[in-house]
Structures are given as structure tokens and as C-alpha cells.
Amino acid sequence: MSGQGDVGETLLSVEAALQRILAAVATLDDEEVDATTAAGRVLAEDIAAPFDVPPFPNSAMDGYAVRAADTAGATGDHPVELRVRADIPAGDIGSAVVRPGEASRIMTGAPLPPGADAVVPVEATDEPWTRTDRPLPGRVRIFRVATPGAHIRQAGEDVRQGQTVLRRGIRLRPQEIGVLAALGWPRVRIVRRPRVAILATGDELVEIDQPLGPGQIHDSNSYVLAALVERTGGVPLRLGIARDRLEEVRTRLRTGLEQGADLFLSSAGVSVGAYDVVRAAVDAEGEMAFWRVNMRPGKPLAFARVGTVPFLGLPGNPVSAAVAFEIFARPAMLKMGGRTALARPRVEAILDEPVWSDGRESYLRAVVTRRDGRYHAVITGPQSSGMLTSLVRANALLVVPAGVREVPAGAILWAQMIDWPEEVF
Ligand code: AMP
Ligand code: MG
């Protein structure tokens, strides 16, 4: 990557930076698991139906299987009377033929008997009772005309044999697991979860359970990043806190490699401070790609390889680190994890207040709500990249395009939804 990737002090657009990162990460290998444990995982194969679903025509109602032509003219006042031939519970295998003038009592999901081409629901008969402890009536009166196909689920009406039902790259939700089960597909190929090594760097940092000495703060970034990695379908590997010393950062990077990291995320140490050693450490362990992105927050960003493993050096400021994860690391992780759709849902939101930027592409922490059928946005107060609570209140990042410094109230901006929580009734 060296030579072609390093753009020095040139500002890279967010889009260009993202495209470079995506081009440099590959989808991980896949593995086979039981369908019962595959929920939430990413499908690595197309699933083509080995047979029709439903596999056979069956009744959609409890009722009577009839020949539709026999019900011609049936009304409540002038019912048609049919001889009841057989009883067909769900799972029945040897249904008797329904001949002209006949009906068979049939349960929901039971195979349609030969001869019948419609089902009359029990409610439209004088035998509104389908429990098996009710003796099979000898005759049934039909109060309603049945059209051919009425209340029948045709073979293959849900899925046709050979049809691709599920495509690789989707995240398996409960309903997709249900489709696998319906197809009798007990083992499924899924993409391995990305193992993401997370390194916090900084002499001022202490662990969550340690008291703060003078000049110290708790490391929050590695906790945020580990939680983001998990939420994005990855496995976080905590590399702890490295002091701002070259050897310490290098040692921890090597530990990450030994632990089988697929991606490195570090925080801090990539700006131009005297102790910003991450850049030098990565240079020593691998190859550096680029450094500055035209975005706010999160301008200093390193992309590199440690050995053969991609490395994203995120900024140190907590909001910058989290936003840079959202914009760069999340799509990269999704691609590695086999997903085909990488972008958050976006809505056009009306600004309820003016917002300002400095001309970089800005991601403002915002609260987006729906009012009168439209989306409205307000920012979550002070946008300092050190204030994590500005992100706590946010459900969206409001995107102010590069080159724009002021957007008046009433204008419309894209809001990238980072959460779409349930609403209070
Ligand atoms: P740096 O990139 O090292 O200049 O750090 C920028 C700011 O982020 C400084 O105020 C750091 O104290 C802060 N910072 C760096 N790492 C962390 C971390 N892991 N958790 C919370 N704040 C951090
Ligand atoms: Mg620092």
C-alpha cells in the first residue's frame, strides 16, 4: 500500500476514504452451523428450495372439501346438501376421492382430497363443528357458493421448487430461520464473525475499575468500541491500554496478530501530538495508507495493514472515535462479515433549528422524530467531540455536506439513523 495510498496532508473525502477501506477488506471465510444456532448470522450461500412449499395442496380452513360446481346457487335460504364421504385430519395420507354430490370434512393443513377443488369453511355450513369428538355427520348443508380454489393453499404458492428463497449476504432473522426449517435445511453456511482487536492508547488512561490519579481519565473508547463491535456482529478482542510508547504499541499489535485478529481498531495517538506513537508503531509493524479525512468529528484517521490485517486508527476524542467507527469501521466490518447491504437507513429530516459547520463533511449528533408524517431533527446540544453524552441522547447523525457552513431552520438534511428505537404507545 505504501507509495500509492499515502496522501500526506491532502484531505480525503469521506466517500473516498470509505471506498479505499472497503476495497482493502475482504469477506471472511464461511463455516457451517446448525440452523438452530444461525439466527443473527450472515448467510454465506444462496438457498434454493429443494421442493415446493407447501409441498401439496391443502386446506386453509376447517371446513368441507367440495367440488365447487356442486355448490352452485347455494344460499342460507336454499342450501345445497352434500353427502359426507370422509374425515381428513392434518397429516392424512390416504384421502378418499370426493365424487359429485359429496364432501369430506377437512382440517386446516390437511391435504386436499382428489376430486375436490374448493373448501367451504365450517361457518358456512350447518355443521359448524370440526372437533374430532364430534361424530362425522352423514350429510352437510352448504350455505354459500364456493369458487374453484376457494380456501385452498396451492402446492408451491409460497415457494416453488428450485426458487432461490434466501440470498447470501443477508442477516438471518427469525423468519429466515423459519424458511430454513420449512425447507428441511438443518445445516447452513454462514460467514465467520470478524475478530476485531481493540487497542486504547494514551498515558492518561486508566481502566474502568481503577481510581483516577492526577491528570488521568478512564479509558472509555475501548469499551464503546467493544460494544460497537459486538453490535455489528463481531467478536471484540481487548488489547487493553498501551502507554504512548512505540514498543508498547508494537507489542500489543503483535498480541492481536497472535490472537487471530481480522481487523485492528485503535483509538488516539494518530494526530500530530508529540506522543502520538500509533502511527509510528503501525509503520514499523506494517504499512501505512492515509491520514486525514475531510470530516467532523474525526479528521485524523489512519488506515494501514499490520502484517496482512487491516488496521483502522481512530481518533482519541470519544465522539470522534465512535463516529469514525460508525462511518468507516461499521461498513468495513459488515463487508468482512459477508453482508451485502452496508449502509444505515437514511431519512430526509427537516431542521427545527439552524446548524453550523466548518466546511468539513459534518456528522452532527441529532434527535430525529416524526411529526405530522415528516421527520424533524434537532441537534443534541454542544457538539464538542469530547462530550460522549451528546451521543447518548442521539438517535441519528445529521450529515452536513462538505463545503456547507450554515444550514437554516426549515432546510432538509439527510439523517443517518444509528438507532431506530421502539416508541412509547
Ligand atoms: P489524542 O488523539 O491522543 O490526542 O487524544 C485526543 C483526546 O481523546 C484526548 O483528550 C484524550 O485524553 C482523549 N482520549 C484518548 N483516548 C481515550 C480513551 N481511550 N478514552 C477516552 N478518552 C480518550
Ligand atoms: Mg494522546
Side-chain angles (χ1 to χ4, degrees):
M1 255 182 295
S2 61
Q4 50 117 19
D6 197 333
V7 293
E9 291 304 298
T10 314
L11 284 183
L12 213 58
S13 73
V14 172
E15 179 60 25
L18 177 61
Q19 288 314 323
R20 287 190 187 199
I21 292 168
L22 290 177
V25 301
T27 296
L28 302 175
D29 35 291
D30 49 58
E31 59 195 16
E32 198 179 89
V33 296
D34 284 346
T36 49
T37 63
R41 305 300 302 274
V42 179
L43 191 60
E45 59 180 339
D46 287 343
I47 304 286
F51 48 77
D52 282 349
V53 179
F56 50 88
N58 66 89
S59 180
M61 302 283 282
D62 293 333
Y64 288 84
V66 300
R67 304 170 77 99
D70 283 352
T71 66
T75 63
D77 293 337
H78 299 283
V80 165
E81 195 170 276
L82 301 173
R83 204 153 41 78
V84 177
R85 172 153 183 89
D87 203 19
I88 313 172
D92 185 82
I93 41 161
S95 299
V97 179
V98 173
R99 291 183 295 245
E102 291 181 345
S104 280
R105 190 167 73 168
I106 192 167
M107 309 300 145
T108 303
L112 192 73
D117 62 359
V119 168
V120 177
V122 280
E123 295 82 353
T125 74
D126 66 342
E127 285 288 337
W129 190 254
T130 54
R131 277 175 48 188
T132 43
D133 58 2
R134 168 90 170 181
L136 191 65
R139 309 188 73 81
V140 64
R141 305 176 93 194
I142 308 289
F143 298 136
R144 208 191 288 155
V145 174
T147 52
H151 305 298
I152 292 170
R153 301 189 283 218
Q154 300 296 347
E157 75 171 25
D158 188 0
V159 177
R160 284 248 162 251
Q161 180 179 2
Q163 181 190 335
T164 300
V165 209
L166 304 178
R167 297 225 173 252
R168 68 188 318 156
I170 59 157
R171 190 167 164 274
L172 294 165
R173 300 170 301 169
Q175 50 269 54
E176 279 89 29
I177 301 295
V179 168
L180 292 172
L183 295 177
W185 205 284
R187 300 276 294 170
V188 64
R189 296 208 72 81
I190 55 168
V191 181
R192 187 163 68 70
R193 288 186 202 276
R195 295 164 65 80
V196 181
I198 296 163
L199 177 64
T201 69
D203 284 340
E204 73 279 34
L205 304 177
V206 298
E207 286 288 359
I208 195 168
D209 56 354
Q210 298 301 308
L212 293 181
Q216 294 184 323
I217 60 168
H218 286 118
D219 158 33
S220 59
N221 286 349
S222 70
Y223 293 85
V224 174
L225 292 172
L228 286 168
V229 163
E230 276 194 345
R231 199 167 72 169
T232 312
V235 180
L237 306 173
R238 306 284 302 271
L239 298 179
I241 301 169
R243 304 288 132 211
D244 288 323
R245 273 181 289 287
L246 187 64
E247 268 318 309
E248 201 169 324
V249 176
R250 290 186 65 175
T251 305
R252 286 177 196 259
L253 292 177
R254 275 180 241 136
T255 304
L257 288 178
E258 282 157 22
Q259 293 183 0
D262 300 305
L263 173 69
F264 280 95
L265 296 179
S266 74
S267 86
V270 291
S271 29
V272 292
Y275 298 92
D276 290 335
V277 297
V278 169
R279 172 176 190 164
V282 173
D283 240 348
E285 291 297 321
E287 286 180 288
M288 208 64 215
F290 65 78
W291 279 106
R292 305 181 83 72
V293 181
N294 188 28
M295 72 183 286
R296 192 181 74 127
K299 178 156 81 174
L301 182 88
F303 185 63
R305 274 184 203 287
V306 172
T308 58
V309 178
F311 171 100
L312 253 178
L314 307 175
N317 277 309
V319 173
S320 308
V323 171
F325 178 95
E326 176 67 29
I327 305 302
F328 300 114
R330 182 176 187 274
M333 271 189 67
L334 293 180
K335 182 180 175 192
M336 296 172 85
R339 295 279 282 274
T340 41
L342 309 181
R344 290 281 196 190
R346 293 190 312 168
V347 300
E348 288 181 309
I350 302 167
L351 279 179
D352 281 352
E353 59 186 355
V355 297
W356 288 270
S357 171
D358 65 356
R360 286 180 280 167
E361 182 164 322
S362 292
Y363 291 84
L364 307 179
R365 280 75 78 198
V367 181
V368 170
T369 48
R370 208 181 51 217
R371 239 177 24 243
D372 306 327
R374 309 194 63 178
Y375 292 102
H376 291 257
V378 289
I379 59 174
T380 61
Q383 298 284 303
S384 155
S385 54
M387 293 172 66
L388 252 189
T389 52
S390 69
L391 204 45
V392 169
R393 289 188 293 274
N395 66 355
L397 295 175
L398 207 51
V399 188
V400 182
V404 175
R405 287 169 188 274
E406 185 180 344
V407 189
I412 290 175
L413 287 178
W414 283 110
Q416 191 164 318
M417 303 305 296
I418 52 176
D419 274 304
W420 218 317
E422 290 76 13
E423 288 178 25
V424 177
F425 285 116

